[in-house]
Amino acid sequence: MSIDLNSEEQAVIDQIERFSNEVLAPAAAAIDAKGQFATLHRAALAEMGITGMNLPETYGGIGLSGPALYCAVEAVAGACGSTASMLTAHFLATDSLLLGAGETLKRRFLPAAAAGEALGAFALTEPMAGSNPADMRSTATATGDGDGYRLKGSKCFISNAGDADFIVVYAKTDSTAGARGVSAFVLEPAKTDGVEIGKREETMGLRGGHVFPISFDCRVPAENRLGDEGTGFRTAMKVLDNGRIEVAAQATGIARAALGAAVSYAKEREVGGRPIGSFQGLQWMLADSATELAAARALGLQAARKRGTGERYSTDSAFAKLYASEAAWRIADRALQIHGGYGYTRDFPMERYLRDLRIFRIYEGSSEIQRTIIAREMLS
Ligand SMILES: Cc1cc2nc3c(=O)[nH]c(=O)nc-3n(C[C@H](O)[C@H](O)[C@H](O)COP(=O)(O)OP(=O)(O)OC[C@H]3O[C@@H](n4cnc5c(N)ncnc54)[C@H](O)[C@@H]3O)c2cc1C
């Protein structure tokens, strides 16, 4: 499918594709098997500019946006889902600052984040507030001296939290105002007393993208607040509109890798003296997968293009995430089927692709929540 990238963007994407194939892909199976944190690639990612690829040059990034950013995330995910998940969680944190913070806070955190010197995490979900984050119970109460807040509460499933240098935490400064009472703060766990990072969750897939519960009863300086009090929820929703496009890109990246492997296997594997690709049953599977992949990419790129031009794109992000996460699952499942018994073993990446893909239908708003967003827009 043709994608309107300018020659400079295309050159960057080609470089990221090459790096992903040569450096990330060969390590992906071991990261998964050992459950090793994908941060082991942090220095190399930083050197390529990938840790700051979503940020403008003013803050040390390489300023990819729209379809170019989509293609870059897709390339990384196709090589290593865990690395992509670590990276996109970092982007949720830097995007929160970019969209919600004042200039001083941006200058304090973004250049180090872009350079890969500081890893970010995004803490919205709580044990009693996942699909409906406005139900959050964490609070931020202004201290008597007026130059800080007491941040109290807990969050769960926070990607990168165990190694994060900064965590963007969402908490209520006004518990009576629902979503309008939410504010966002930067928390530096290593420099703050009263922050506890719990035991890492054992997850089904993306095993190199580590996830932790956190709890806190600590002080944060007032200058660590992103924007005005009460603007946090709006910031989080804008961040998730972007994040959902990145989830879609991760899904199509993995689906593309699975389909590519299925096509190669269908040409090589012989049964009854014939390549299995000569059987119509498998040809139809491949055709369905290619069609769904093209449709998923078209929706993802449409949302990414609108993000780049500044048009409204919340519904497009929901279309992209919903369709890509569900289609990628079907594509990877067919790819495993085409590999027969070998697909079920760890000698091939098919089973890892499926395990890695499963979360995309749950996090950053489940499939049910994406359908709710789309229907709400249709009925408004
Ligand atoms: C590996 C992993 C990484 C994560 N990383 C992060 C992170 O970095 N930061 C962060 O803040 N969070 C993160 N999360 C949390 C994730 O976003 C939540 O798990 C997700 O939003 C769902 O919330 P929940 O688990 O509480 O499910 P619930 O909200 O309890 O939902 C349970 C079920 O009910 C359905 N449901 C809920 N409401 C509705 C409705 N209105 N209509 C129809 N169905 C509904 C859901 O779709 C789901 O099927 C992560 C989770 C995982 C597993």
Side-chain angles (χ1 to χ4, degrees), residues 74-121:
E74 190 182 50
V76 172
C80 178
S82 289
T83 301
S85 84
M86 182 264 293
L87 195 65
T88 50
H90 176 69
F91 290 170
L92 292 175
T94 54
D95 215 24
S96 297
L97 283 156
L98 194 62
L99 294 172
E103 200 52 30
T104 313
L105 212 52
K106 286 182 189 170
R107 296 263 168 218
R108 240 176 87 200
F109 288 97
L110 292 181
E117 290 154 13
L119 183 68

Side-chain angles (χ1 to χ4, degrees), residues 122 124-125 130-131 157-159 211 359 362-364 366 368-369:
F122 169 87
L124 182 67
T125 305
S131 298
F157 300 128
I158 307 307
S159 304
V211 175
I359 187 62
I362 300 172
Y363 70 14
E364 298 197 33
S366 64
E368 292 72 39
I369 296 302

Side-chain angles (χ1 to χ4, degrees), residues 112-146:
E117 290 154 13
L119 183 68
F122 169 87
L124 182 67
T125 305
E126 298 187 359
M128 295 309 292
S131 298
N132 190 19
D135 286 345
M136 71 176 65
R137 293 174 183 182
S138 293
T139 53
T141 313
T143 50
D145 53 17

Side-chain angles (χ1 to χ4, degrees), residues 52-251:
M53 68 188 182
N54 63 326
L55 294 174
E57 287 172 19
T58 354
Y59 302 113
I62 59 171
L64 291 187
S65 64
L69 183 58
Y70 179 95
C71 292
V73 171
E74 190 182 50
V76 172
C80 178
S82 289
T83 301
S85 84
M86 182 264 293
L87 195 65
T88 50
H90 176 69
F91 290 170
L92 292 175
T94 54
D95 215 24
S96 297
L97 283 156
L98 194 62
L99 294 172
E103 200 52 30
T104 313
L105 212 52
K106 286 182 189 170
R107 296 263 168 218
R108 240 176 87 200
F109 288 97
L110 292 181
E117 290 154 13
L119 183 68
F122 169 87
L124 182 67
T125 305
E126 298 187 359
M128 295 309 292
S131 298
N132 190 19
D135 286 345
M136 71 176 65
R137 293 174 183 182
S138 293
T139 53
T141 313
T143 50
D145 53 17
D147 62 357
Y149 289 84
R150 181 173 177 205
L151 195 61
K152 198 169 178 338
S154 64
K155 300 281 173 183
C156 59
F157 300 128
I158 307 307
S159 304
N160 296 352
D163 290 69
D165 300 284
F166 67 98
I167 304 177
V168 177
V169 176
Y170 292 83
K172 286 198 171 158
T173 37
D174 181 351
S175 295
T176 64
R180 290 208 169 90
V182 176
S183 304
F185 300 86
V186 187
L187 184 62
E188 295 177 274
K191 296 182 184 167
T192 313
D193 290 334
V195 181
E196 200 169 310
I197 311 286
K199 186 171 166 290
R200 173 163 81 87
E201 302 291 353
E202 280 297 337
T203 55
M204 168 184 176
L206 296 179
R207 294 187 49 74
H210 291 180
V211 175
F212 302 82
I214 64 177
S215 58
F216 36 83
D217 184 354
C218 62
R219 187 184 181 283
V220 282
E223 68 256 26
N224 281 23
R225 195 187 65 227
L226 278 65
D228 292 334
E229 279 191 10
T231 59
F233 199 78
R234 219 172 48 217
T235 299
M237 294 304 108
K238 284 196 220 157
V239 169
L240 289 175
D241 281 344
N242 292 342
R244 286 169 187 153
I245 302 176
E246 279 148 28
V247 173
Q250 289 175 80

